[in-house]
Amino acid sequence: MQAAFRLGLIINPLAGVGGQAALKGSDGVAEQALAQGVLPQAQRRVAIALEQLLPLREQLQIFAAPGPMGSDLLTELGFDHEVIGELGDANQTSAEDTERCAAALQQTGVDLLLFAGGDGTARNICNQIRANQLVLGIPAGVKIHSGVYAVNPRAAGELVALLVKGDLVRLREADVRDIDETAFRQGQVKTRHYGELSVPEEGRFVQQVKQGGREVETLVLDDIAAWLQEEQDEETGWILGPGSTNLGLLEAMGLHGTLLGVDVLRHGELILQDATEQQLWTLLEQGGDWRILVTAIGGQGHILGRGNQQLSPRIVRAVGLDNLMVVATKTKLTTLNGRPFLVDSGDAELDQQLTGLRRVLSGYREEMLYPVSWKAE
């Protein structure tokens, strides 16, 4: 059974109030807009998104910012949730509240941080969120120049629903941009790049016909191998698990790996072939930055514990859970028919920590999200 999807929620309740008041934004002028009788619309727009998730509520574990920044709306809609973080003033939320709650929600290990606001809110999120944290914006502000927002609230909800159901969803890095509101109110449009956030996109693709699959998969492996070659540097080493996919990557790089063994790549060269667990441990004890690249072994979708016991719990922990990467073409992912990747490392605690959505390298600088579990459906 797939683990519950861990969803974080933050709402900027004042997002967009400056629009109806013709203030060209809400940053710093929310009180002025409210004094003109403008009614905030952010809660209504988030409700449209969350309504798409009502049929999936049993599959969700929701963590939300307090009061008007998330919890109040979830209670109204009937979603069970846990309140995370605190507000400086429940009657007057601020950018500092957004940043404080974003940091707290990230600490809970949410699979996706869903937030509502405009470009100012996206900047606040960007200030606190690490690079590999998946986020998605519900457009509720006046200024929506950043690429982290869904096209509308309903689309945001439907995209989250795809993630919850374990459908294939592509990932991309999207710009966080904001406009200078003071200059904008004077008729000048000046945007500035503030950073990037990792966001999901709907993973639409056409499954290849069976007889063409091998040829297409070879081309995809060439693309992934090109990415892997670009990632070679002085600091990072790569531990490649067994399997035809990883062997195909090495062959595409002109290297002779082992089909059933673990190979170690550094500086574009194989420094270990068919390595034992102890050899890997000795190598890791010497320090350095390392990545593990695994693929599904056998017909059951295992990524750990089937044919790659050299990648023991201590090896995985030493490298770091965030540095355990899965490589699989989209064609291979579709053959699992939605079943999760499985982990059977021999360490129940590690298996539980690995459970959830993980990034899967599926093409040249292309990643998908796919569920991992310690138990089969």
Side-chain angles (χ1 to χ4, degrees), residues 24-354:
K24 313 300 188 295
S26 303
D27 294 348
V29 296
E31 289 187 15
Q32 182 180 344
L34 295 173
Q36 294 182 30
V38 175
L39 298 177
Q41 299 295 315
Q43 301 280 341
R44 179 184 63 83
R45 293 180 69 80
V46 177
I48 294 172
L50 294 179
E51 285 167 359
Q52 314 308 310
L53 303 178
L54 285 171
L56 303 170
R57 68 177 75 192
E58 297 302 320
Q59 297 170 243
L60 286 166
Q61 185 177 5
I62 305 179
F63 303 86
M69 295 192 71
S71 179
D72 289 349
L73 181 60
L74 288 168
T75 299
E76 179 183 331
L77 294 177
F79 285 96
D80 292 333
H81 63 281
E82 181 179 340
V83 178
I84 301 294
E86 47 187 48
L87 307 181
D89 181 351
N91 297 315
Q92 184 66 53
T93 60
S94 66
E96 290 74 19
D97 290 325
T98 298
E99 295 197 9
R100 187 165 52 249
C101 290
L105 285 166
Q106 183 174 240
Q107 290 300 313
T108 68
V110 292
D111 295 312
L112 173 73
L113 178 57
L114 185 66
F115 67 93
D119 287 331
T121 307
R123 282 176 56 186
N124 298 145
I125 298 296
C126 190
N127 287 341
Q128 295 296 325
I129 295 302
R130 60 177 179 265
N132 62 350
Q133 173 66 63
L134 191 66
V135 305
L136 179 64
I138 300 171
V142 178
K143 303 169 289 129
I144 307 289
H145 295 274
S146 299
V148 299
Y149 287 97
V151 293
N152 55 53
R154 182 183 177 89
E158 291 181 350
L159 185 49
V160 177
L162 287 176
L163 290 168
V164 175
K165 291 185 288 188
D167 287 358
L168 296 181
V169 174
R170 183 178 292 109
L171 305 181
R172 67 180 174 90
E173 298 301 312
D175 286 346
V176 174
R177 306 192 70 87
D178 200 3
I179 198 168
D180 183 327
E181 289 190 14
T182 301
F184 190 47
R185 293 181 183 115
Q186 297 172 353
Q188 300 176 358
V189 179
K190 296 180 179 179
T191 62
R192 177 182 169 188
H193 177 267
Y194 284 90
E196 294 182 341
L197 290 170
S198 184
V199 300
E201 290 185 312
E202 185 173 358
R204 293 187 181 275
F205 59 89
V206 178
Q207 183 174 342
Q208 300 295 323
V209 292
K210 195 168 186 178
Q211 60 267 32
R214 182 175 180 180
E215 183 175 358
V216 171
E217 187 148 325
T218 300
L219 295 176
V220 174
L221 290 179
D222 287 343
D223 287 343
I224 299 175
W227 166 83
L228 188 56
Q229 285 178 305
E230 292 176 5
E231 291 296 304
Q232 300 300 305
D233 56 41
E234 295 295 326
E235 292 79 25
T236 306
W238 295 80
I239 301 172
L240 279 67
S244 58
T245 299
N246 280 347
L247 178 61
L249 291 180
L250 291 175
E251 289 177 344
M253 296 171 66
L255 302 171
H256 298 289
T258 51
L259 175 63
L260 301 179
V262 173
D263 299 323
V264 180
L265 180 67
R266 196 159 202 175
H267 306 155
E269 298 181 358
L270 281 176
I271 62 172
L272 278 177
Q273 287 181 287
D274 201 9
T276 66
E277 193 271 354
Q278 183 58 51
Q279 286 177 312
L280 294 175
W281 181 250
T282 300
L283 196 62
L284 294 178
E285 284 187 313
Q286 298 172 12
D289 188 23
W290 292 92
R291 304 284 187 275
I292 295 176
L293 200 60
V294 297
T295 190
I297 304 298
Q300 299 302 315
H302 281 84
I303 58 173
L304 282 180
R306 296 294 186 274
N308 57 9
Q309 283 81 0
Q310 305 95 314
L311 305 176
S312 67
R314 69 171 179 169
I315 297 296
V316 174
R317 285 198 170 96
V319 171
L321 273 60
D322 287 341
N323 292 327
L324 173 67
M325 306 173 65
V326 184
V327 58
T329 63
K330 292 188 286 289
T331 299
K332 178 172 284 188
L333 291 176
T334 57
T335 64
L336 291 172
N337 296 316
R339 299 192 312 273
F341 286 135
L342 298 175
V343 286
D344 182 20
S345 69
D347 183 319
E349 181 180 356
L350 176 61
D351 290 347
Q352 185 62 52
Q353 290 171 336
L354 290 169

